Amino acid sequence: MNVSSAALAALSGLGFGLSLIVAIGAQNAFVLRQGIRGEHVLVVVSVCAVSDIVLIAAGVGGFGAIVTAAPIVLTLARYAGAAFLLGYAALALRRAITSGSLAPNTADTSMAVGATFLTCLALTWLNPHVYLDTVVLLGSYASSYGPNRWYLAAGAMLASILWFLGLGYGARLLSPLFARRTAWRVLDTLIAAIMIALGVTLLLK
């Protein structure tokens, strides 16, 4: 094994992985909100990171060819994802409008751990872009590294772990700002706008 080539493959995977996940999207918006609230952060971070690890492994292992050959998988994910995103957007708008539900860590706004887990799963696995990015795109990119492709995969997996840990637990630094209800109203409005934009985009594509 060439140690230098393996290290370069891992670093390439780290950079490539970060370029795919460091973007404003439904999943990151949810992680950010849960992190600010300090609510089930470990569950959210774990679901996102483990999901990415599974998808990256599938892509590097060649599952991307199956997804490409069976576009019905992406089509089903597209419509299911759009429906879920628009539904979540409606909930976010409701939170933004209902002043009594904006204060953090109150009984009426706290999501149960099960609901948090399922919401995070849906935001991850019902997003067709996840399959295109981690399974198809990253899988194709990794194939060019030959026997070192799994080192690239390890780098991409590390990128996901670092990103979600940083986003989920780093969001608490914004807690002082979100001590005010107005800040929560703005955040939920932005989240709703992101969800609506992504949902409409999925329907139109």
Side-chain angles (χ1 to χ4, degrees):
M1 179 187 68
N2 190 320
V3 177
S4 60
S5 62
L8 286 175
L11 288 174
S12 180
L14 180 67
F16 194 81
L18 286 173
S19 71
L20 293 177
I21 62 176
V22 181
I24 297 176
Q27 186 187 55
N28 284 339
F30 183 72
V31 176
L32 178 64
R33 188 177 193 278
Q34 294 301 113
I36 293 173
R37 291 174 56 82
E39 189 176 85
H40 312 310
V41 179
L42 180 59
V43 172
V44 172
V45 169
S46 298
V47 169
C48 293
V50 171
S51 295
D52 266 12
I53 289 172
V54 171
L55 289 165
I56 290 169
V60 175
F63 190 72
I66 299 176
V67 174
T68 303
I72 186 63
V73 174
L74 293 179
T75 300
L76 292 174
R78 179 161 63 94
Y79 287 111
F84 182 83
L85 288 173
L86 293 175
Y88 191 88
L91 292 177
L93 282 176
R94 181 182 177 185
R95 287 196 305 265
I97 294 172
T98 308
S99 59
S101 66
L102 294 174
N105 299 322
T106 55
D108 60 330
T109 62
S110 184
M111 288 181 68
V113 63
T116 301
F117 177 78
L118 292 175
T119 299
C120 197
L121 274 182
L123 288 172
T124 301
W125 290 89
L126 290 180
N127 180 6
H129 294 294
V130 168
Y131 300 98
L132 291 174
D133 287 346
T134 58
V135 178
V136 178
L137 185 57
L138 193 144
S140 299
Y141 181 68
S143 65
S144 65
Y145 280 77
N148 288 321
R149 67 186 184 279
W150 287 107
Y151 291 102
L152 183 140
M157 293 173 184
L158 178 60
S160 291
I161 294 171
L162 293 176
W163 170 253
F164 289 118
L165 280 174
L167 182 62
Y169 287 100
R172 68 178 62 184
L173 298 176
L174 298 174
S175 295
L177 173 64
F178 285 88
R180 296 177 298 175
R181 292 182 173 183
T182 302
W184 283 100
R185 178 177 285 115
V186 171
L187 178 63
D188 279 323
T189 301
L190 288 174
I191 289 176
I194 291 171
M195 302 294 183
I196 291 172
L198 291 173
V200 171
T201 299
L202 288 179
L203 289 176
L204 293 179
K205 281 189 176 180

